[in-house]
Amino acid sequence: TYQPQDLIQRQNSELANVLGNFVNRILSFTIKNYGASVPEAAVNKINEVDQRFMAARVNTVSQVTQSLECYNFKQALEQVME
């Protein structure tokens, strides 16, 4: 029988798998083509878009870390997906 909760759970599971696969592919590609360490950014090449992105990244990492420390995995995934 059809259960809406089953559909929601399956969709969320597939979304988490897609996200995990995406992150894995990015990391594998980066390591293969650029090595395992990230070079320092050239300060003179950082523009306003880069600064907004870096600020958003720091904020997201902080929020996700807090959610994970509280064992709120669903919220952490939602924060990553934003």
Side-chain angles (χ1 to χ4, degrees), residues 12-13 25-27 37 46 54-55 57 59 61 68 72 80:
N12 287 340
S13 177
R25 287 176 181 257
I26 289 172
L27 292 174
S37 62
I46 296 176
M54 290 187 298
R57 180 188 55 81
N59 186 40
V61 168
L68 291 174
N72 194 342
V80 168

Side-chain angles (χ1 to χ4, degrees), residues 36-49:
S37 62
V38 178
E40 289 292 323
V43 177
N44 60 341
K45 293 185 179 182
I46 296 176
N47 60 30
E48 183 181 334
V49 173

Side-chain angles (χ1 to χ4, degrees), residues 1-13 74:
T1 62
Y2 171 77
Q3 296 291 326
Q5 189 59 31
D6 292 341
L7 177 64
I8 292 169
Q9 184 176 356
R10 180 170 178 176
Q11 290 291 331
N12 287 340
S13 177
K74 181 179 178 184

Side-chain angles (χ1 to χ4, degrees), residues 28-71:
S28 297
F29 175 84
T30 302
I31 290 169
K32 177 182 174 188
N33 293 294
Y34 301 102
S37 62
V38 178
E40 289 292 323
V43 177
N44 60 341
K45 293 185 179 182
I46 296 176
N47 60 30
E48 183 181 334
V49 173
D50 295 328
Q51 291 173 347
R52 286 197 314 261
F53 174 78
M54 290 187 298
R57 180 188 55 81
V58 167
N59 186 40
T60 300
V61 168
S62 175
Q63 290 176 347
V64 170
T65 300
Q66 184 176 4
S67 294
L68 291 174
E69 287 174 348
C70 294
Y71 302 102

